[in-house]
Structure formats: structure tokens, C-alpha cells
Amino acid sequence: MSAKKLFIQTLGCAMNVRDSEHMIAELTQKENYSLTQDIKEADLILINTCSVREKPVHKLFSEVGGFEKVKKKDAKIGVCGCTASHLGNEIFRRAPYVDFVLGARNISKITQAINTPKFISVDIDYDESEFAFADFRNSIYKSYINISIGCDKHCTYCIVPHTRGDEISIPFDIIYNEATKAVQKGAKEIFLLGQNVNNYGKRFRNDHKKMDFSDLLEELSTIESLERIRFTSPHPLHMDDKFLEVFAKNPKVCKSMHMPLQSGSTEILKAMKRGYTKEWYLNRALKLRELCPNVSISTDIIVAFPGESEKDFEDTMDVLEKIRFEQMFSFKYSKRPLTKAATMPNQIDPEVASQRLSILQNRHNEILDEIVEKQNNKEFEVLFEELRPNHSVAGRTDNNFLVQIEHSEELLGQIKKVKITNAKRMVLYGELV
């Protein structure tokens, strides 16, 4: 019997990428599907959704409408992920041609979903922490590995706890075995995923070996032939000295830290229910710079959160000046359903929000240009993992700069020393040393 064709579109974060890999693995190995990039030949079309911001939700209905117009007569359409979790049956109402809806915490049911008419499963309390997924990865050289699911933080702007449920850690043995298997198949780097990775070990489904995230990093670094460990996203609240020291001293842990700030104002952080102050954040980030001078720090910032004054915004700008982030993801606050911030008073005028975002981004671009200029003539170890046009290959430095050189695909999967000859904002160009 010839394989059926699967087309999958993934929106949102790295956790969604890994969820898509899990669904691909289940479908290719248990249901005789093979991947296609041509939606017109697909027998099954999946869209794995994000609901962190407003635009991806609008994108969902516009995308599935487009799918319906071009798909084969008997092809099925499935909506999966975070938007599926919070919209549920409304998806069937707004897009009746959708065949099934599968929430972010229910992806292990994908084979059941495709074989059950109008299947829906969006239970955010469903526990997949010990489910043995089949194996599939988009990259030979890098392996995404979930270490926890869900989130307990309930930040007042964030919908994730309502779409992925309470936080639960995946047992160490499952993580270690998955990492070992990936390395045996050629992975040089593992990328640990969780909503708050450095809160790892606080809750397991059953009795398991107790360890915190720092211990997990140390244990995984003992895997032979594993070259690099990355992770996202840690929470500033859980950045204790032990964690920062393991990060700085363990040679396999990549020197790139994502530290979501969200706001530089202690008052706004309190309203966001982030659990830390401006002073705590600065203390942790500056200590990290001290322990690990070559670290790159990235962040997330929301401007114009309800009630944000000019002084609050100045506090955010002050943190930007003091930390000088190598990368910044910044957004205007947008109301999300099921969140407390959506009904808060003192919502900020959209024009003010746009102006503040522009000020923040313009200043960060100036800082970034100064940072980038300093990379010229530096030498970096680069793991090459991407073939690019014009006979080029690209990869990442230990501290997460993207580097591109002219070379052939034989470099893929190798770590080589590169000297930077032309540093640009998005890409550092160089040559092999």
C-alpha cells in the first residue's frame, strides 16, 4: 500500500516545532504517512497553532480557509496546538470543514484523531509526560527535547497556562534516553524545551529521581559525543547562583541565555505577576555577565502593558541600557482571552504603545550595531547545520550568533573555527580558519 501524504504547517515557538515532530513521528511510523511540501497532494493537512499573541489566531482561520480551497476532495484538515486548546468546538463552528481539533496537551492522540469523525480533545489536564512518542527530527544535527510540559506561573498577560495546563516535569530517564538516542543518530546539539526550564524537577507524575535543572544539565553533559546543550526558556525567578555557575562553567552548555524581562518596572512586573523585581533581574543578568563574559543575553519585552506610565517605560529603557541585550523580541501588549490583564483598567492608547515600541526598538538597533561591529575579526567555533543559496552554509556560534560562509554541504554537522570578515545585524559572514 502506497504511503499517504501529510502536509504540516507549524506556527509559534520551539515547543510547537517539537510537538509537530512528535505528530509526524506517530503518523509516519504508525499510519503509513510520508511528508509532502505540496498541499495539493496531501491526504492529511495539519496546522499546529500558536495563541500567545493575537495575530496567530487570525492567521489560523485565514490559513484553514485557504487549505479548504486547494485541498484534494477527500483530504482531512486537523487543527492542533494552543489555539485548538482554547477555542475547542468554536473551530468547528467557524470552520465546519475542519475534521478534528487536538489541543496542545493532547498530541499523543493524533492517530485516534485522524480515525474518528469530528474528533476533539482539548483537555489541558491530560498528562503526556511519560508517553513514549515515536522518533522523528527535522534536523540530523540538532535535537529538540521536551523536559517539561505546562506552566504554573499564570502571568496576567499570558494564555499558555490555559492552553498547556499545569507544569509537570518529564522523568530524567526519558530525557536522557532520548538525548542519547539522538546523539547516536548524529545529533551534535540538544535543545531542551519547557515553559520554565529552570523550574525542572518541581513536580513529576510519579515517583522519580529528584533533581533540579542544574543537575539535569550536568547529567546530560556526560553523554559522549554530545557537543552542545541549549535550552529555552528559563525564568528569571529561578536563576539561583547554582544555575548561573553551572551555566558558566560547564563547557557543553552553550553561552547563550534567554532572560525574558517583559518589563523593567517593578510595579508593572508585579501587575504582570512575574515574581521578581527590576533589581533582581539586573542582579542576575549582571552576575551572568561577570561569570561568563562571552555570554549573549536575549530577552522578551512587552511595552504598553495596562497602567504602564512614562516612568515605567523609562525603567524598561534603563534595563536595556544596563544589559545591552544581544537579541530582543519586543511587542506591544495585546489582549488575550482568559487572562486577567485583558480586563485591567488603564489600557494604553495604541498610538502611545506604537511610539514606545518604536523608541525601544530603535535604541536596541543602535546597541545591536555596536555589538555587531565588535564581532569583526573575531574567531568562533560554529556548528554548521543549514545549506544556503549561492554555495553557502550557515550555523551558530556557541553564544548563538548566526554565521554564514561560502562552502559546500560537506561541512554540515561539523564544528569548525571561523573568522568573521563582515559582520551584519542578522548574519556574521566569515571564512574558515
PDB file of all heavy atoms in Angstrom, residues 135 137 145 171-184 220 223:
ATOM      1  N   ASP A 135       9.903   8.327  16.994  1.00  0.00           N
ATOM      2  CA  ASP A 135      11.036   9.250  16.848  1.00  0.00           C
ATOM      3  C   ASP A 135      11.079   9.879  15.458  1.00  0.00           C
ATOM      4  O   ASP A 135      11.021   9.187  14.445  1.00  0.00           O
ATOM      5  CB  ASP A 135      12.347   8.495  17.104  1.00  0.00           C
ATOM      6  CG  ASP A 135      13.532   9.433  17.182  1.00  0.00           C
ATOM      7  OD1 ASP A 135      13.423  10.463  17.864  1.00  0.00           O
ATOM      8  OD2 ASP A 135      14.562   9.146  16.542  1.00  0.00           O
ATOM      9  N   ARG A 137      12.919  13.753  13.676  1.00  0.00           N
ATOM     10  CA  ARG A 137      13.512  15.076  13.863  1.00  0.00           C
ATOM     11  C   ARG A 137      13.719  15.741  12.516  1.00  0.00           C
ATOM     12  O   ARG A 137      14.117  15.092  11.552  1.00  0.00           O
ATOM     13  CB  ARG A 137      14.851  14.971  14.597  1.00  0.00           C
ATOM     14  CG  ARG A 137      14.657  14.650  16.061  1.00  0.00           C
ATOM     15  CD  ARG A 137      15.948  14.506  16.832  1.00  0.00           C
ATOM     16  NE  ARG A 137      15.634  14.310  18.227  1.00  0.00           N
ATOM     17  CZ  ARG A 137      15.260  13.158  18.756  1.00  0.00           C
ATOM     18  NH1 ARG A 137      15.158  12.093  17.993  1.00  0.00           N
ATOM     19  NH2 ARG A 137      14.976  13.054  20.039  1.00  0.00           N
ATOM     20  N   ILE A 145      14.258  18.505  22.662  1.00  0.00           N
ATOM     21  CA  ILE A 145      13.803  17.537  23.668  1.00  0.00           C
ATOM     22  C   ILE A 145      12.973  18.264  24.720  1.00  0.00           C
ATOM     23  O   ILE A 145      13.460  19.194  25.374  1.00  0.00           O
ATOM     24  CB  ILE A 145      15.001  16.829  24.347  1.00  0.00           C
ATOM     25  CG1 ILE A 145      15.807  16.028  23.311  1.00  0.00           C
ATOM     26  CG2 ILE A 145      14.517  15.911  25.471  1.00  0.00           C
ATOM     27  CD1 ILE A 145      17.059  15.387  23.871  1.00  0.00           C
ATOM     28  N   PRO A 171      10.275  12.687  33.299  1.00  0.00           N
ATOM     29  CA  PRO A 171      11.295  11.962  34.070  1.00  0.00           C
ATOM     30  C   PRO A 171      12.669  11.987  33.419  1.00  0.00           C
ATOM     31  O   PRO A 171      12.784  11.948  32.180  1.00  0.00           O
ATOM     32  CB  PRO A 171      10.740  10.531  34.118  1.00  0.00           C
ATOM     33  CG  PRO A 171       9.265  10.681  33.940  1.00  0.00           C
ATOM     34  CD  PRO A 171       9.088  11.861  33.030  1.00  0.00           C
ATOM     35  N   PHE A 172      13.691  12.050  34.244  1.00  0.00           N
ATOM     36  CA  PHE A 172      15.073  12.128  33.771  1.00  0.00           C
ATOM     37  C   PHE A 172      15.416  10.992  32.821  1.00  0.00           C
ATOM     38  O   PHE A 172      16.068  11.215  31.781  1.00  0.00           O
ATOM     39  CB  PHE A 172      16.041  12.120  34.962  1.00  0.00           C
ATOM     40  CG  PHE A 172      17.475  11.883  34.562  1.00  0.00           C
ATOM     41  CD1 PHE A 172      18.191  12.873  33.901  1.00  0.00           C
ATOM     42  CD2 PHE A 172      18.089  10.663  34.805  1.00  0.00           C
ATOM     43  CE1 PHE A 172      19.502  12.661  33.514  1.00  0.00           C
ATOM     44  CE2 PHE A 172      19.408  10.451  34.414  1.00  0.00           C
ATOM     45  CZ  PHE A 172      20.108  11.446  33.774  1.00  0.00           C
ATOM     46  N   ASP A 173      15.011   9.767  33.140  1.00  0.00           N
ATOM     47  CA  ASP A 173      15.368   8.615  32.312  1.00  0.00           C
ATOM     48  C   ASP A 173      14.866   8.775  30.883  1.00  0.00           C
ATOM     49  O   ASP A 173      15.570   8.421  29.929  1.00  0.00           O
ATOM     50  CB  ASP A 173      14.808   7.317  32.916  1.00  0.00           C
ATOM     51  CG  ASP A 173      15.518   6.926  34.199  1.00  0.00           C
ATOM     52  OD1 ASP A 173      16.587   7.497  34.477  1.00  0.00           O
ATOM     53  OD2 ASP A 173      14.997   6.062  34.931  1.00  0.00           O
ATOM     54  N   ILE A 174      13.659   9.310  30.718  1.00  0.00           N
ATOM     55  CA  ILE A 174      13.104   9.516  29.381  1.00  0.00           C
ATOM     56  C   ILE A 174      13.933  10.560  28.623  1.00  0.00           C
ATOM     57  O   ILE A 174      14.267  10.387  27.452  1.00  0.00           O
ATOM     58  CB  ILE A 174      11.621   9.945  29.472  1.00  0.00           C
ATOM     59  CG1 ILE A 174      10.768   8.788  30.003  1.00  0.00           C
ATOM     60  CG2 ILE A 174      11.105  10.418  28.112  1.00  0.00           C
ATOM     61  CD1 ILE A 174       9.303   9.144  30.207  1.00  0.00           C
ATOM     62  N   ILE A 175      14.266  11.661  29.306  1.00  0.00           N
ATOM     63  CA  ILE A 175      15.062  12.722  28.688  1.00  0.00           C
ATOM     64  C   ILE A 175      16.449  12.206  28.297  1.00  0.00           C
ATOM     65  O   ILE A 175      16.923  12.412  27.173  1.00  0.00           O
ATOM     66  CB  ILE A 175      15.198  13.925  29.648  1.00  0.00           C
ATOM     67  CG1 ILE A 175      13.829  14.541  29.942  1.00  0.00           C
ATOM     68  CG2 ILE A 175      16.146  14.979  29.069  1.00  0.00           C
ATOM     69  CD1 ILE A 175      13.837  15.528  31.093  1.00  0.00           C
ATOM     70  N   TYR A 176      17.099  11.514  29.228  1.00  0.00           N
ATOM     71  CA  TYR A 176      18.459  11.012  28.997  1.00  0.00           C
ATOM     72  C   TYR A 176      18.491  10.020  27.839  1.00  0.00           C
ATOM     73  O   TYR A 176      19.364  10.089  26.960  1.00  0.00           O
ATOM     74  CB  TYR A 176      19.002  10.364  30.271  1.00  0.00           C
ATOM     75  CG  TYR A 176      20.455   9.974  30.199  1.00  0.00           C
ATOM     76  CD1 TYR A 176      21.452  10.887  30.513  1.00  0.00           C
ATOM     77  CD2 TYR A 176      20.835   8.689  29.787  1.00  0.00           C
ATOM     78  CE1 TYR A 176      22.804  10.531  30.434  1.00  0.00           C
ATOM     79  CE2 TYR A 176      22.172   8.330  29.700  1.00  0.00           C
ATOM     80  CZ  TYR A 176      23.145   9.257  30.026  1.00  0.00           C
ATOM     81  OH  TYR A 176      24.479   8.902  29.945  1.00  0.00           O
ATOM     82  N   ASN A 177      17.514   9.102  27.818  1.00  0.00           N
ATOM     83  CA  ASN A 177      17.464   8.106  26.743  1.00  0.00           C
ATOM     84  C   ASN A 177      17.201   8.761  25.386  1.00  0.00           C
ATOM     85  O   ASN A 177      17.789   8.369  24.376  1.00  0.00           O
ATOM     86  CB  ASN A 177      16.384   7.058  27.042  1.00  0.00           C
ATOM     87  CG  ASN A 177      16.753   6.169  28.215  1.00  0.00           C
ATOM     88  OD1 ASN A 177      17.932   6.050  28.552  1.00  0.00           O
ATOM     89  ND2 ASN A 177      15.766   5.553  28.841  1.00  0.00           N
ATOM     90  N   GLU A 178      16.325   9.764  25.379  1.00  0.00           N
ATOM     91  CA  GLU A 178      16.028  10.463  24.128  1.00  0.00           C
ATOM     92  C   GLU A 178      17.265  11.208  23.626  1.00  0.00           C
ATOM     93  O   GLU A 178      17.572  11.189  22.433  1.00  0.00           O
ATOM     94  CB  GLU A 178      14.863  11.435  24.339  1.00  0.00           C
ATOM     95  CG  GLU A 178      14.327  12.025  23.062  1.00  0.00           C
ATOM     96  CD  GLU A 178      13.090  12.886  23.256  1.00  0.00           C
ATOM     97  OE1 GLU A 178      12.416  12.759  24.300  1.00  0.00           O
ATOM     98  OE2 GLU A 178      12.799  13.700  22.359  1.00  0.00           O
ATOM     99  N   ALA A 179      17.975  11.853  24.535  1.00  0.00           N
ATOM    100  CA  ALA A 179      19.194  12.576  24.164  1.00  0.00           C
ATOM    101  C   ALA A 179      20.267  11.620  23.652  1.00  0.00           C
ATOM    102  O   ALA A 179      20.924  11.887  22.636  1.00  0.00           O
ATOM    103  CB  ALA A 179      19.712  13.372  25.356  1.00  0.00           C
ATOM    104  N   THR A 180      20.437  10.508  24.347  1.00  0.00           N
ATOM    105  CA  THR A 180      21.444   9.520  23.948  1.00  0.00           C
ATOM    106  C   THR A 180      21.148   8.961  22.566  1.00  0.00           C
ATOM    107  O   THR A 180      22.038   8.848  21.709  1.00  0.00           O
ATOM    108  CB  THR A 180      21.501   8.378  24.976  1.00  0.00           C
ATOM    109  OG1 THR A 180      21.815   8.916  26.269  1.00  0.00           O
ATOM    110  CG2 THR A 180      22.565   7.358  24.595  1.00  0.00           C
ATOM    111  N   LYS A 181      19.880   8.634  22.326  1.00  0.00           N
ATOM    112  CA  LYS A 181      19.472   8.101  21.024  1.00  0.00           C
ATOM    113  C   LYS A 181      19.716   9.124  19.916  1.00  0.00           C
ATOM    114  O   LYS A 181      20.190   8.784  18.827  1.00  0.00           O
ATOM    115  CB  LYS A 181      17.987   7.718  21.068  1.00  0.00           C
ATOM    116  CG  LYS A 181      17.510   6.938  19.851  1.00  0.00           C
ATOM    117  CD  LYS A 181      15.995   6.715  19.901  1.00  0.00           C
ATOM    118  CE  LYS A 181      15.580   5.909  21.098  1.00  0.00           C
ATOM    119  NZ  LYS A 181      14.116   5.655  21.104  1.00  0.00           N
ATOM    120  N   ALA A 182      19.412  10.389  20.192  1.00  0.00           N
ATOM    121  CA  ALA A 182      19.617  11.440  19.190  1.00  0.00           C
ATOM    122  C   ALA A 182      21.095  11.579  18.838  1.00  0.00           C
ATOM    123  O   ALA A 182      21.461  11.723  17.668  1.00  0.00           O
ATOM    124  CB  ALA A 182      19.066  12.765  19.702  1.00  0.00           C
ATOM    125  N   VAL A 183      21.947  11.556  19.863  1.00  0.00           N
ATOM    126  CA  VAL A 183      23.388  11.677  19.638  1.00  0.00           C
ATOM    127  C   VAL A 183      23.913  10.479  18.840  1.00  0.00           C
ATOM    128  O   VAL A 183      24.744  10.629  17.932  1.00  0.00           O
ATOM    129  CB  VAL A 183      24.134  11.830  20.976  1.00  0.00           C
ATOM    130  CG1 VAL A 183      25.647  11.721  20.781  1.00  0.00           C
ATOM    131  CG2 VAL A 183      23.782  13.166  21.630  1.00  0.00           C
ATOM    132  N   GLN A 184      23.411   9.292  19.155  1.00  0.00           N
ATOM    133  CA  GLN A 184      23.834   8.098  18.414  1.00  0.00           C
ATOM    134  C   GLN A 184      23.459   8.182  16.940  1.00  0.00           C
ATOM    135  O   GLN A 184      24.120   7.606  16.084  1.00  0.00           O
ATOM    136  CB  GLN A 184      23.210   6.849  19.046  1.00  0.00           C
ATOM    137  CG  GLN A 184      23.805   6.487  20.391  1.00  0.00           C
ATOM    138  CD  GLN A 184      23.031   5.404  21.123  1.00  0.00           C
ATOM    139  OE1 GLN A 184      21.897   5.052  20.744  1.00  0.00           O
ATOM    140  NE2 GLN A 184      23.621   4.858  22.172  1.00  0.00           N
ATOM    141  N   LEU A 220      23.291  15.424  31.667  1.00  0.00           N
ATOM    142  CA  LEU A 220      23.240  15.300  30.207  1.00  0.00           C
ATOM    143  C   LEU A 220      24.595  15.568  29.570  1.00  0.00           C
ATOM    144  O   LEU A 220      24.922  15.002  28.516  1.00  0.00           O
ATOM    145  CB  LEU A 220      22.191  16.256  29.636  1.00  0.00           C
ATOM    146  CG  LEU A 220      20.734  15.917  29.945  1.00  0.00           C
ATOM    147  CD1 LEU A 220      19.806  17.021  29.440  1.00  0.00           C
ATOM    148  CD2 LEU A 220      20.330  14.570  29.344  1.00  0.00           C
ATOM    149  N   ILE A 223      27.011  12.700  28.363  1.00  0.00           N
ATOM    150  CA  ILE A 223      26.773  11.877  27.169  1.00  0.00           C
ATOM    151  C   ILE A 223      27.929  12.064  26.189  1.00  0.00           C
ATOM    152  O   ILE A 223      28.221  13.168  25.750  1.00  0.00           O
ATOM    153  CB  ILE A 223      25.437  12.246  26.496  1.00  0.00           C
ATOM    154  CG1 ILE A 223      24.266  11.958  27.447  1.00  0.00           C
ATOM    155  CG2 ILE A 223      25.257  11.481  25.181  1.00  0.00           C
ATOM    156  CD1 ILE A 223      22.926  12.441  26.927  1.00  0.00           C
TER     157      ILE A 223
END
